[in-house]
Amino acid sequence: MPGQVGEIGVGQPWRTWPVFAEKSPDFLDAVASYLEQLDRLSPQQRQDLALFKAAELVNALIQMRERKQAADRVGPAVAQASFALVRAAIRDRQIALAGGERTDLREPVLRDLIDEGCRLFHAGKKDPDLYQRALALSAAQCIALHEQLKVALERYASDSGLELPESLREAVQQAFIEPYRRP
């Protein structure tokens, strides 16, 4: 809903949420700046971006667990398939789901947000300040897309073709959705 993020931005109460307790003023300012951009998204753009964000968050958690050889990892085949799905979404500007359904990510505003996240993430591997900006963009997306993310996560989990255990979906919910819920 246009204006929804703007309502969060008024007085910026999100700055006091526990997830931001240890964050620097520069980080919080970057989140605020990204929230202004996200506020301009239409409801359909929010829904489409939320589906991409859900795929990205699932993939991030899978890749972290694989690297750490965590006991609850999904295995290299699912990790590679998850990575391939997200990479294809970035490259092809669409998310292909089971049954042939496709979510279009070609609109310039969506393309620019996704490209900015990728650019910051990759550049952030060598520059801690840019990595913090990537995290700020991700946090702003989690705030702005909060109402759409849970549905998008379930849709992605059921229609991506990946075998994602319930525990993984719950972990994404706990790590990336719940902390960004309005109190």
Side-chain angles (χ1 to χ4, degrees):
M1 299 173 181
Q4 177 184 9
V5 177
E7 292 169 12
I8 291 173
V10 174
Q12 301 179 343
W14 55 267
R15 287 180 182 252
T16 64
W17 296 353
V19 71
F20 295 115
E22 302 294 319
K23 301 298 183 186
S24 72
D26 288 341
F27 182 90
L28 298 175
D29 290 344
V31 171
S33 176
Y34 287 124
L35 281 172
E36 288 176 18
Q37 291 176 26
L38 292 161
D39 189 32
R40 295 187 282 272
L41 296 178
S42 72
Q44 184 62 52
Q45 290 169 330
R46 286 174 191 267
Q47 185 178 336
D48 294 345
L49 185 59
L51 185 62
F52 175 78
K53 188 66 178 172
E56 183 182 56
L57 294 173
V58 164
N59 184 60
L61 194 54
I62 287 173
Q63 301 308 322
M64 286 187 286
R65 288 179 173 186
E66 281 301 308
R67 272 192 299 277
K68 292 180 181 179
Q69 297 285 308
D72 57 354
R73 67 187 184 271
V74 294
V78 174
Q80 181 57 36
S82 173
F83 179 78
L85 282 172
V86 172
R87 186 178 174 131
I90 293 167
R91 182 187 61 242
D92 300 336
R93 304 298 179 182
Q94 60 184 342
I95 300 174
L97 297 175
E101 181 185 354
R102 297 192 181 277
T103 297
D104 188 356
L105 302 171
R106 291 179 291 177
E107 287 190 51
V109 67
L110 297 179
R111 184 191 64 231
D112 292 349
L113 284 166
I114 292 167
D115 286 352
E116 176 75 353
C118 292
R119 183 188 71 76
L120 290 170
F121 176 75
H122 290 292
K125 291 177 181 178
K126 294 181 181 175
D127 183 338
D129 291 335
L130 291 177
Y131 186 69
Q132 288 302 306
R133 289 212 43 103
L135 294 177
L137 173 56
S138 184
Q141 290 172 338
C142 288
I143 293 169
L145 303 172
H146 184 267
E147 290 184 23
Q148 294 86 8
L149 274 176
K150 187 171 185 178
V151 171
L153 174 61
E154 291 307 315
R155 183 172 167 220
Y156 184 73
S158 67
D159 296 343
S160 67
L162 298 174
E163 297 223 10
L164 302 175
E166 180 63 30
S167 62
L168 179 70
R169 293 192 304 251
E170 288 173 10
V172 170
Q173 176 83 18
Q174 292 301 311
F176 301 113
I177 298 175
E178 285 304 313
Y180 299 95
R181 180 174 46 91
R182 276 181 166 182

